[in-house]
C-alpha cells in the first residue's frame, strides 16, 4: 500500500511525511498487494521468476482440453464420474467373483457390488485417506441389517412393503443428523428393498456380509489407487479454469469494442460477453468456496491471499466488461478503438507466465488516448476516460492475475491481517441455491413447546404422508415394482426446497425417462440377447455419464439411469413388453413425485413466495454486513476486516436470489415477472457497486476524530435504512423510510477535496461507490413502497437518530 499521507483534517495543515522506520516484507515483494498499482517508474515484471514460481499445470501453454476445465472447474464432475466408473467396475467384478467363491447366485453378488460401488462413489467424497476408509468400510453393516430383516418379512408381503416404506421415512429422519446418518439410512432402505425383491435365506446373510466386506475393501483400494483425492492439484486446475474464463471475457470484450455501430454482430458480441461474465462470477464463487476445503491451501493466510487476488481479478474483468459495453455505444476514433481492442486481445492471448506484458498494451492505450483527444483546457473527453479506464483495469488485472497464478508464494503472510474464513459454502458440491433461504423460512416454525420438534419431524411427516398415499396406488398399478413410487417420493423431497424446484425435477424426470427409454431400447436391439458383458458395459457407462451430468441438469442423470435400467429389465422381460413396463415406471414415478409435492406443500411448507422473500432478506443482510465492515475498517485500520470476503458474500447472496427466482417455465403462474426482473436488475447493479466499494475502501487511513464521526454517521444512516428495508420485505415495515446519505457524502467529499495521494483518491472513490450503492438500494426500497428522503445536509448530530428511527 502506498505511504502517501492523508491529512487528518482539511482544516489542519498537512503533516509532513514521516520517514519510514521499517520496510515491511510486502514492500520488498515484486508482486503488488491487491488493489494497488505498480510503481510508474518501476521495472517491468520478471517473467522468469514468475515462471519458476508458477506450477506448470497452471502456467503451461494452451491445451486442447482447456475447454473441459472451463466447463468443469477443478474437474469435480469428471472426478465424480471417474469414481463411479472405478467403484462400479470393482464392485461388479469382486461381487461376481465372491459369489462364485461362496456358492451364491451371481446376480446377488453383483447386486451387492453395484450397490456398494454406486453409493460409495456418490456419498463418500473425502479428501483424506482416513476419512475415505471410515466412510466406505462400515457400509456393509447397515446392508447386512437390512438384508437380514428382509428375510424375516418375506413370507408376509404386506408387512415387507410397509417396512420398506417405513425405511424411507427413516431416511428423511436422518437428514437432521448429518451426512453419515443419511448414508446409513439410505443403505438400510436400499438393502431392505433389495431383500424384498430378491428371495434370500438367513443362511445366506453371513456369506453376503463377507461379499460386502470384500467389495468395500476393493472399492476403497480402487479409490486409493486410481481416484486418490488431490485437493491441491484440483486447486491448480481450478486456477487454470479461471484463467480460461478470464480469457473468454477479454476476448468477448475485444469483439464488442471491434463491432462498430448498432449491428447484429455487436448485439451478439454483447450477449457473448454477458454470458462470459456470468460464468466468471460463478467460477469465482466456486473457487472461493473450494479454498476452505482441507489441504487445498497451505494455511489460512495463503488462502486469504488467494481469496484477495481472485476477487481483484474478477473485479478487474467485470470492470473491463462494463467499460467495453459503454465503448460500444460511442464514436471512438478508429486508432484508439484499435488500440483498446489490441489490448483486450493481448489479455485474451497472453501466455500465462508473461502476464506483465499487459502493461505495454495499457501504455499504448493511454498514448493513443492522449493523441486522439488533445485537450487544451485539461478536460478529457468521454471516450478518452473510457480508454484510460480500460488501461487502468489492464494494469490491475496484470497485478492481481500474476499474484493469483503464482499462488501467493512470492507474497509475505504479513501482508494480510486476517485469516481466511469461508464466505461461500458449497452444498452437495455446488453453489447454494434456495437452501439457505428455505432454512430461514423453516426456522420460523421453531418455537416453544411442541414447535421445537418441527425441524426434526417436518421431513419425516411429509415422507410418511406421501408414502401412505402413494404405496397403495403404486401397488395397484404394478405390484412387483411398487418401489417406483417410493423412488419418486425420495427424489422429490431430497434436495428440493420449493414448489418450483419440485416441478422442475418432475419435468426433468419424465423427459429423462422418455429419452433414456428410447436410447436403452435401441441399445437392447443393437446388442441382442445373451451378451451379458456388453450389457454390463452399457450399464456402467450409462451410470457413469449420468453421474457426470447430474450437477448440470437432473435430466442427464435420469437419461443415464433409465438407459441402464432398460438393460437390466431386458434380462428378464421380453423386448416387446419393455414399452409397457417403462410406461408403468413413468406413471409410478410421476405419482410419487406429485403426491410428495402435495404433501410438502401442506405439511409445514416452505412456500416459494416466502423463500423468495427470505432470499431478498439474505441479500440485504449481506449488504448490511459490508457497510458495517467498511465503517469498522475506516474507524480502526488495525482491525482484521475482510472487505473482499464481505463483498463475495453479497455476490453469493445475489446468486441465491437468482436461483430462487428462476422459473420452471415461462408460464403466467410463475413467480418470475416484471417485479422479479426489477428486483434482480437493481440487486445486480448494487452487487457491482458493493464489489468496487470493498476494494476501494480497503485502505489504511488515519482520519481525524471529526471526520471519523462523520463517516460513522454515514454508515449508521445507511445501516438504519437497510434495516428498515429488511423489515419492509418481511412485511412489518409500515411507515419505513429510506434516508439517502448522498448529501452527507457530498459534504464529506468536499471536506476531502484538498487531500492528495493514492489513499485519498481511494477514499474519495469509495465514497462515490458508497453513494452509488445508496442510490441503487434506494431504488430497491422504492419498489417495495418505501418513502425515500434525503438526510439533512450539515446536520451530522441528528443524522444518526433519524437513521435509527
Amino acid at each position: 500500500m502506498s505511504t502517501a499521507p492523508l491529512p487528518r483534517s482539511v482544516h489542519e495543515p498537512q503533516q509532513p511525511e514521516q520517514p519510514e522506520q521499517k520496510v515491511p516484507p510486502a514492500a520488498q515483494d515484486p508482486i503488488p498487494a491487491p488493489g494497488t498499482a505498480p510503481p510508474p517508474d518501476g521495472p517491468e515484471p520478471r517473467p522468469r521468476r514468475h515462471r519458476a514460481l508458477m506450477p506448470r499445470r497452471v502456467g503451461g501453454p494452451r491445451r486442447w482440453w482447456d475447454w473441459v476445465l472451463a466447463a468443469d472447474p477443478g474437474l469435480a464432475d469428471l472426478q465424480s464420474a471417474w469414481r463411479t466408473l472405478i467403484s462400479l467396475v470393482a464392485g461388479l467384478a469382486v461381487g461376481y467373483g465372491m459369489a462364485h467363491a461362496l456358492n451364491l447366485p451371481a446376480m446377488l453378488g453383483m447386486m451387492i457390488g453395484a450397490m456398494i460401488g454406486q453409493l460409495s462413489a456418490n456419498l463418500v467424497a473425502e479428501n483424506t485417506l482416513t476419512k475415505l476408509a471410515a466412510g466406505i468400510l462400515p457400509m456393509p453393516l447397515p446392508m447386512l441389517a437390512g438384508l437380514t430383516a428382509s428375510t424375516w418379512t418375506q413370507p408376509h408381503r404386506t408387512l415387507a412393503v410397509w417396512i420398506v416404506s417405513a425405511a424411507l421415512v427413516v431416511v428423511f429422519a436422518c437428514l437432521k443428523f448429518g451426512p453419515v446418518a443419511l448414508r446409513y439410512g439410505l443403505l438400510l432402505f436400499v438393502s431392505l428393498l433389495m431383500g424384498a425383491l430378491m428371495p434370500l435365506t438367513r443362511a445366506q446373510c453371513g456369506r453376503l456380509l463377507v461379499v460386502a466386506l470384500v467389495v468395500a475393501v476393493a472399492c476403497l483400494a480402487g479409490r486409493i489407487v486410481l481416484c486418490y483425492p488431490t485437493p491441491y492439484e484440483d486447486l491448480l486446475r481450478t486456477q487454470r479454469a479461471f484463467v480460461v474464463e478470464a480469457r473468454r471475457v477479454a476476448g468477448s470484450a475485444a469483439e464488442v469494442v471491434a463491432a462498430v455501430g448498432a449491428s447484429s454482430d455487436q448485439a451478439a458480441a454483447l450477449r457473448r460477453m454477458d454470458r462470459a461474465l456470468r460464468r466468471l462470477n460463478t467460477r469465482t464463487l466456486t473457487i472461493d468456496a473450494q479454498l476452505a476445503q482441507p489441504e487445498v491451501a497451505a494455511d489460512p493466510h495463503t488462502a486469504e491471499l488467494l481469496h484477495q487476488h481472485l476477487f481483484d481479478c474478477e473485479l478487474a474483468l467485470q470492470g473491463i466488461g462494463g467499460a467495453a459495453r459503454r465503448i460500444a455505444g460511442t464514436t471512438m476514433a478508429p486508432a484508439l478503438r484499435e488500440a483498446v481492442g489490441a489490448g483486450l486481445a493481448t489479455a485474451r492471448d497472453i501466455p500465462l507466465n508473461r502476464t506483465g506484458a499487459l502493461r505495454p498494451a495499457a501504455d499504448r492505450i493511454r498514448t493513443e488516448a492522449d493523441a486522439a483527444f488533445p485537450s487544451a483546457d485539461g478536460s478529457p473527453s468521454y471516450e478518452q476516460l473510457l480508454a484510460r479506464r480500460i488501461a487502468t483495469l489492464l494494469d490491475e488485472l496484470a497485478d492481481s492475475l500474476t499474484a493469483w497464478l503464482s499462488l501467493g508464494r512470492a507474497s509475505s503472510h504479513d501482508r494480510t491481517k486476517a485469516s481466511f474464513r469461508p464466505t461461500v459454502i458449497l452444498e452437495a458440491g455446488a453453489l447454494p441455491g434456495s437452501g439457505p433461504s428455505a432454512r430461514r423460512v423453516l426456522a420460523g416454525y421453531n418455537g416453544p413447546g411442541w414447535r421445537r420438534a418441527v425441524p426434526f419431524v417436518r421431513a419425516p411427516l411429509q415422507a410418511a404422508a406421501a408414502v401412505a398415499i402413494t404405496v397403495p396406488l403404486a401397488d395397484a398399478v404394478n405390484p412387483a415394482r411398487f418401489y417406483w413410487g417410493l423412488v419418486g417420493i425420495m427424489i422429490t423431497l431430497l434436495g428440493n426446497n420449493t414448489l418450483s424446484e419440485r416441478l422442475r425435477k418432475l419435468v426433468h424426470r419424465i423427459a429423462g425417462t422418455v429419452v433414456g427409454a428410447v436410447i436403452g431400447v435401441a441399445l437392447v436391439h443393437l446388442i441382442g440377447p445373451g451378451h451379458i458383458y456388453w450389457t454390463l458395459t452399457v450399464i456402467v457407462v450409462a451410470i457413469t455419464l449420468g453421474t457426470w451430468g447430474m450437477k448440470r441438469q437432473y435430466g442427464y442423470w435420469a437419461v443415464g439411469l433409465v438407459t441402464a435400467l432398460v438393460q437390466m429389465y431386458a434380462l428378464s422381460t421380453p423386448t416387446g413388453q419393455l414399452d409397457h413396463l417403462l410406461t408403468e415406471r413413468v406413471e409410478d414415478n410421476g405419482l410419487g413425485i406429485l403426491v410428495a409435492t402435495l404433501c410438502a406443500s401442506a405439511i409445514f411448507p416452505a412456500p416459494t413466495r416466502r423463500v423468495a422473500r427470505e432470499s431478498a432478506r439474505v441479500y440485504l443482510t449481506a449488504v448490511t454486513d459490508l457497510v458495517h465492515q467498511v465503517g469498522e475498517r475506516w474507524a480502526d485500520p488495525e482491525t482484521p476486516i475482510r472487505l473482499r470476503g464481505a463483498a463475495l458474500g453479497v455476490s453469493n447472496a445475489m446468486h441465491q436470489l437468482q436461483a430462487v427466482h428462476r422459473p420452471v417455465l415461462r408460464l403466467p403462474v410463475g413467480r418470475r415477472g416484471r417485479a422479479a426482473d426489477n428486483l434482480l436488475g437493481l440487486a445486480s447493479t448494487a452487487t457491482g457497486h458493493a464489489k468496487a466499494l470493498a476494494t476501494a475502501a480497503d485502505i489504511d487511513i488515519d482520519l481525524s476524530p471529526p471526520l471519523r464521526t462523520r463517516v460513522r454517521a454515514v454508515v449508521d444512516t445507511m445501516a438504519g435504512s437497510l434495516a428498515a428495508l429488511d423489515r419492509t420485505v418481511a412485511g412489518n415495515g409500515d411507515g419505513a423510510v429510506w434516508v439517502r446519505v448522498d448529501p452527507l457524502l457530498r459534504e464529506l467529499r468536499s471536506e476531502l477535496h484538498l487531500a492528495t495521494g493514492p489513499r485519498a483518491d481511494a477514499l474519495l472513490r469509495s465514497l462515490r461507490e458508497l453513494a452509488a450503492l445508496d442510490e441503487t438500494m434506494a431504488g430497491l426500497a422504492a419498489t417495495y413502497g418505501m418513502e425515500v428522503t434525503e438526510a439533512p445536509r450539515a446536520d451530522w448530530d441528528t443524522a444518526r437518530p433519524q437513521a435509527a428511527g
Side-chain angles (χ1 to χ4, degrees):
M1 190 66 65
S2 173
T3 59
L6 183 68
R8 297 183 62 87
S9 172
V10 294
H11 301 297
E12 302 173 4
Q14 181 168 334
Q15 300 295 327
E17 184 175 356
Q18 299 296 327
E20 293 183 350
Q21 301 296 326
K22 178 182 178 181
V23 179
Q28 304 171 9
D29 196 284
I31 297 179
T36 62
D41 55 349
E44 285 296 318
R46 293 181 277 272
R48 292 184 180 178
R49 180 172 182 182
H50 295 318
R51 188 183 300 117
L53 291 169
M54 195 181 303
R56 179 171 176 79
R57 185 162 301 184
V58 176
R62 288 192 175 189
R63 303 180 178 92
W64 65 268
W65 46 265
D66 277 348
W67 68 272
V68 179
L69 284 178
D72 184 12
L75 301 182
D77 296 343
L78 193 60
Q79 288 179 5
S80 178
W82 178 247
R83 287 197 306 266
T84 301
L85 177 63
I86 296 302
S87 299
L88 276 178
V89 171
L92 288 171
V94 174
Y96 179 81
M98 290 298 299
H100 276 283
L102 298 178
N103 196 23
L104 289 169
M107 182 60 69
L108 186 57
M110 294 173 67
M111 288 290 292
I112 294 289
M115 185 191 310
I116 293 180
Q118 175 68 21
L119 292 179
S120 65
N122 288 342
L123 301 180
V124 183
E126 303 292 349
N127 280 345
T128 62
L129 177 59
T130 303
K131 293 181 179 180
L132 197 63
I136 295 178
L137 294 181
M139 292 181 71
L141 300 180
M143 287 190 59
L144 176 66
L147 292 174
T148 303
S150 67
T151 62
W152 294 89
T153 59
Q154 278 184 358
H156 313 283
R157 183 182 179 278
T158 303
L159 178 62
V161 169
W162 286 109
I163 286 182
V164 172
S165 303
L168 180 60
V169 178
V170 171
V171 170
F172 290 95
C174 293
L175 286 174
K176 295 298 293 184
F177 299 99
V180 176
L182 177 62
R183 184 190 310 154
Y184 291 157
L186 283 173
L187 284 167
L188 180 64
F189 167 69
V190 174
S191 58
L192 281 169
L193 182 60
M194 189 176 71
L197 298 177
M198 300 184 65
L200 297 175
T201 63
R202 282 188 289 276
Q204 292 176 326
C205 291
R207 286 177 288 171
L208 288 177
L209 175 62
V210 176
V211 173
L213 288 173
V214 177
V215 167
V217 172
C219 290
L220 176 61
R223 292 278 292 272
I224 292 173
V225 174
L226 300 174
C227 313
Y228 192 79
T230 55
Y232 179 71
E233 298 296 321
D234 294 342
L235 175 63
L236 300 184
R237 286 187 286 265
T238 302
Q239 286 184 294
R240 190 175 182 94
F242 178 83
V243 173
V244 173
E245 291 294 350
R247 283 173 163 167
R248 185 175 293 168
V249 170
S252 60
E255 294 176 3
V256 170
V257 171
V260 181
S263 62
S264 58
D265 292 341
Q266 187 180 82
L270 285 170
R271 287 193 297 270
R272 285 192 295 271
M273 186 179 71
D274 290 339
R275 287 195 298 268
L277 289 172
R278 286 194 297 269
R279 284 194 298 264
L280 181 74
N281 179 252
T282 302
R283 301 295 182 261
T284 302
L285 292 174
T286 303
I287 295 170
D288 193 76
Q290 291 173 344
L291 292 177
Q293 295 179 356
E295 298 185 359
V296 170
D299 53 48
H301 297 285
T302 301
E304 176 63 16
L305 287 172
L306 288 169
H307 153 80
Q308 292 178 7
H309 298 314
L310 171 67
F311 180 87
D312 291 340
C313 285
E314 194 226 353
L315 187 62
L317 289 164
Q318 294 283 353
I320 287 174
R325 176 180 293 277
R326 290 191 291 272
I327 288 175
T330 65
T331 56
M332 182 175 285
L336 181 56
R337 185 181 292 271
E338 181 184 357
V340 172
L344 295 175
T346 301
R348 177 195 61 199
D349 301 328
I350 191 171
L352 298 185
N353 54 4
R354 298 188 60 217
T355 52
L358 289 174
R359 295 192 183 91
D363 292 338
R364 180 193 171 191
I365 294 175
R366 294 189 186 94
T367 302
E368 291 292 341
D370 294 337
F373 299 96
S375 178
D377 58 356
S379 58
S381 65
Y382 181 64
E383 290 84 354
Q384 188 179 25
L385 290 175
L386 288 177
R388 285 186 169 274
R389 174 64 175 162
I390 290 284
T392 301
L393 291 170
L394 287 176
D395 281 336
E396 294 177 358
L397 180 63
D399 296 336
S400 52
L401 193 59
T402 300
W404 161 249
L405 290 175
S406 61
L407 302 178
R409 295 181 186 178
S411 301
S412 168
H413 292 168
D414 294 336
R415 287 173 47 198
T416 177
K417 298 176 181 178
S419 297
F420 179 75
R421 297 189 304 275
T423 300
V424 186
I425 305 297
L426 297 179
E427 295 184 354
L431 292 175
S434 63
S437 301
R439 286 192 289 271
R440 285 175 56 127
V441 171
L442 298 177
Y445 289 114
N446 197 3
W450 64 271
R451 298 179 70 88
R452 295 179 180 177
V454 170
F456 296 92
V457 302
R458 171 183 172 271
L461 283 177
Q462 291 175 347
V467 164
I469 299 172
T470 302
V471 168
L473 297 176
D475 190 63
V477 174
N478 190 338
R481 293 182 173 86
F482 70 94
Y483 59 89
W484 283 340
L486 296 179
V487 172
I489 295 173
M490 183 172 65
I491 65 176
T492 301
L493 297 181
L494 276 179
N496 299 296
N497 303 294
T498 65
L499 177 62
S500 296
E501 291 178 347
R502 296 186 184 100
L503 293 179
R504 191 179 301 119
K505 181 166 278 190
L506 172 61
V507 172
H508 281 228
R509 185 76 175 184
I510 294 177
T513 299
V514 172
V515 175
V518 172
I519 296 174
V521 171
L523 289 174
V524 167
H525 286 287
L526 179 64
I527 295 173
H531 298 84
I532 186 63
Y533 292 109
W534 280 107
T535 299
L536 290 176
T537 300
V538 171
I539 291 174
V540 171
V541 171
I543 293 294
T544 300
L545 293 177
T547 302
W548 177 77
M550 183 187 300
K551 292 181 182 178
R552 305 185 185 306
Q553 292 288 351
Y554 180 78
Y556 296 153
W557 163 249
V559 171
L561 177 64
V562 174
T563 301
L565 289 177
V566 169
Q567 313 309 309
M568 295 179 60
Y569 298 154
L571 297 177
S572 57
T573 304
T575 304
Q577 299 179 15
L578 282 177
D579 294 342
H580 177 68
L581 185 66
L582 293 172
T583 301
E584 289 182 343
R585 185 179 187 278
V586 173
E587 293 174 354
D588 285 344
N589 269 179
L591 176 64
I593 293 174
L594 289 176
V595 172
T597 299
L598 293 175
C599 291
S601 301
I603 303 174
F604 301 117
T608 301
R609 191 173 296 274
R610 288 180 61 185
V611 173
R613 185 177 63 196
E614 287 301 320
S615 67
R617 297 187 66 191
V618 169
Y619 181 82
L620 293 175
T621 300
V623 175
T624 304
D625 178 62
L626 173 63
V627 172
H628 278 303
Q629 291 202 35
V630 168
E632 293 179 14
R633 183 73 173 89
W634 290 346
D636 183 8
E638 299 300 323
T639 304
I641 297 298
R642 300 183 65 250
L643 287 178
R644 289 173 175 82
L648 270 179
V650 176
S651 184
N652 183 39
M654 180 65 202
H655 182 273
Q656 297 177 32
L657 194 67
Q658 292 171 330
V660 171
H661 287 80
R662 183 163 62 101
V664 181
L665 295 171
R666 292 287 183 177
L667 298 176
V669 297
R671 172 71 176 88
R672 185 71 174 269
R674 180 174 298 178
D677 289 334
N678 290 340
L679 169 65
L680 294 177
L682 289 169
S684 177
T685 302
T687 301
H689 291 305
K691 292 180 178 180
L693 172 64
T695 303
D698 195 9
I699 51 177
D700 294 329
I701 57 175
D702 186 16
L703 296 174
S704 64
L707 289 180
R708 195 171 298 174
T709 301
R710 296 184 179 191
V711 168
R712 174 54 61 186
V714 170
V715 169
D716 288 350
T717 301
M718 191 169 181
S721 297
L722 286 167
L725 178 56
D726 181 76
R727 293 193 301 270
T728 301
V729 174
N732 55 3
D734 294 338
V737 177
W738 182 279
V739 181
R740 291 283 309 277
V741 297
D742 184 63
L744 307 181
L745 291 172
R746 286 200 301 268
E747 287 197 350
L748 189 55
R749 288 198 298 269
S750 66
E751 294 279 349
L752 297 170
H753 77 282
L754 295 179
T756 59
R759 284 181 290 181
D761 294 340
L763 178 58
L764 291 172
R765 186 167 63 253
S766 62
L767 293 178
R768 288 193 295 268
E769 292 295 343
L770 188 60
L773 177 62
D774 174 62
E775 180 182 3
T776 307
M777 297 306 294
L780 183 61
T783 63
Y784 281 97
M786 288 180 62
E787 179 186 355
V788 179
T789 63
E790 291 190 352
R793 301 186 64 178
D795 194 0
W796 300 98
D797 295 332
T798 60
R800 191 178 308 180
Q802 288 180 359

